Amino acid sequence: MASTTLLSNPLHLNNTANNSSLHFSSTLSFKLNQNLRYSKNLKLSSNRYHATTPSAASSSGVESPVLGEDATSSLDSVKVFYLSGKEVPISDLWKDRKAVVAFARHFGCVLCRKRADYLASKKDIMDASGVALVLIGPGNIEQARTFAEQTKFEGEIYADPNHSSYEALNFVSGVLTTFTPKAGLKIIQLYMEGYRQDWKLSFEKDTVSRGGWKQGGIIVAGPGKNNISYIHKDKEAGDDPEIEEILAACCS
């Protein structure tokens, strides 16, 4: 592993005015080992973080290279619900496997239906790499079932009625992140493509009161419950990362 050491000679400064001597010695060492490897593998933007960890470390369940200790600790207590109604700790979704996990704004969102399709379009690549495809929405089990019936999403779908995963991952929220010019143009485009918002789901009480203004994101996690190697946090509604970025994070 590369290592660089910079040494400066001792510098002696004599001050005859006060008959004192100042002896200043400085040694600077920069060891470019783990830090160098980390800086090469970590790609940062304003809303996404991607780190590649060695496969041996991943299989042992190392700490997340892109999430702080508080966030991973908060996720430990998060429970989500499968369509059958079974409660599952969210970290079990990637504890023994690698998974691409998409977080929807809410189950009626037209932009989230597009996200589901664009991820499912690459499911064959994920399958070949042994990577699971998962979608989580902030809502109840019935809303999740309706979403599954309407979208025919080929991955796994879970409901987070308490929105706990969104809070743990600190996804952005607010009216100004929902109604943006870019999101508006994307919705028009999706309607032209045949996508539709489910307004009934969109205006159910828990969506309006809690989930309507919350944005989602995408993570790549596992194996190992604390091993989250990639996270994209939507800056606004419909802020999908490039699919090539997701595949590089999960399947390269």
Side-chain angles (χ1 to χ4, degrees):
M1 189 63 64
S3 176
T4 302
T5 303
L6 302 181
L7 300 176
S8 64
N9 292 324
L11 179 63
H12 301 284
L13 300 177
N14 296 318
N15 190 333
T16 56
N18 57 13
N19 296 319
S20 65
S21 296
L22 173 65
H23 301 285
F24 176 77
S25 179
S26 175
T27 301
L28 299 177
S29 300
F30 300 92
K31 296 187 180 297
L32 306 180
N33 37 46
Q34 294 292 339
N35 291 335
L36 177 60
R37 183 174 61 183
Y38 185 80
S39 66
K40 286 181 178 179
N41 291 331
L42 183 63
K43 301 176 183 178
L44 299 179
S45 70
S46 60
N47 64 324
R48 60 181 63 100
Y49 310 86
H50 178 198
T52 303
T53 54
S55 58
S58 297
S59 63
S60 63
V62 297
E63 290 298 319
S64 166
V66 298
L67 284 183
E69 185 178 345
D70 289 345
T72 53
S73 177
S74 296
L75 282 174
D76 282 343
S77 61
V78 171
K79 303 290 194 301
V80 294
F81 294 84
Y82 190 54
L83 299 181
S84 65
K86 179 182 178 181
E87 185 182 62
V88 181
I90 192 171
S91 59
D92 280 7
L93 302 182
W94 58 77
K95 181 177 66 175
D96 300 317
R97 62 182 183 177
K98 179 175 279 190
V100 173
V101 185
F103 293 83
R105 289 185 55 245
H106 57 79
F107 285 118
C109 173
V110 64
L111 297 164
C112 304
R113 290 156 190 257
K114 177 62 175 182
R115 171 168 288 183
D117 278 355
Y118 111 112
L119 289 172
S121 70
K122 301 300 181 182
K123 190 173 182 297
D124 57 336
I125 298 176
M126 298 180 196
D127 288 344
S129 299
V131 177
L133 177 58
V134 177
L135 184 140
I136 296 174
N140 59 49
I141 298 169
E142 285 302 321
Q143 291 172 326
R145 288 172 180 160
T146 300
F147 179 89
E149 292 169 2
Q150 292 175 342
T151 64
K152 310 302 181 187
F153 181 64
E154 297 179 359
E156 302 169 20
I157 299 176
Y158 295 84
D160 180 1
N162 296 319
H163 305 196
S164 302
S165 59
Y166 291 73
E167 294 169 3
L169 291 166
N170 197 29
F171 288 136
V172 302
S173 181
V175 175
L176 295 180
T177 66
T178 302
F179 297 111
T180 68
K182 186 176 178 180
L185 290 174
K186 192 167 185 178
I187 289 172
I188 293 172
Q189 179 184 346
L190 293 181
Y191 264 76
M192 292 176 66
E193 293 176 10
Y195 287 90
R196 293 294 182 267
Q197 181 104 355
D198 186 316
W199 294 106
K200 182 177 182 297
L201 286 179
S202 301
F203 283 98
E204 288 189 3
K205 183 178 179 180
D206 61 342
T207 300
V208 172
S209 63
R210 299 188 62 189
W213 314 124
K214 179 73 73 175
Q215 307 309 322
I218 298 174
I219 68 173
V220 176
K225 70 175 187 175
N226 292 332
N227 183 25
I228 297 176
S229 55
Y230 169 94
I231 181 169
H232 165 90
K233 297 183 179 183
D234 296 347
K235 293 179 295 184
E236 59 185 338
D239 179 28
D240 292 320
E242 295 293 333
I243 191 64
E244 290 78 11
E245 182 175 304
I246 302 298
L247 294 178
C250 74
C251 305
S252 60

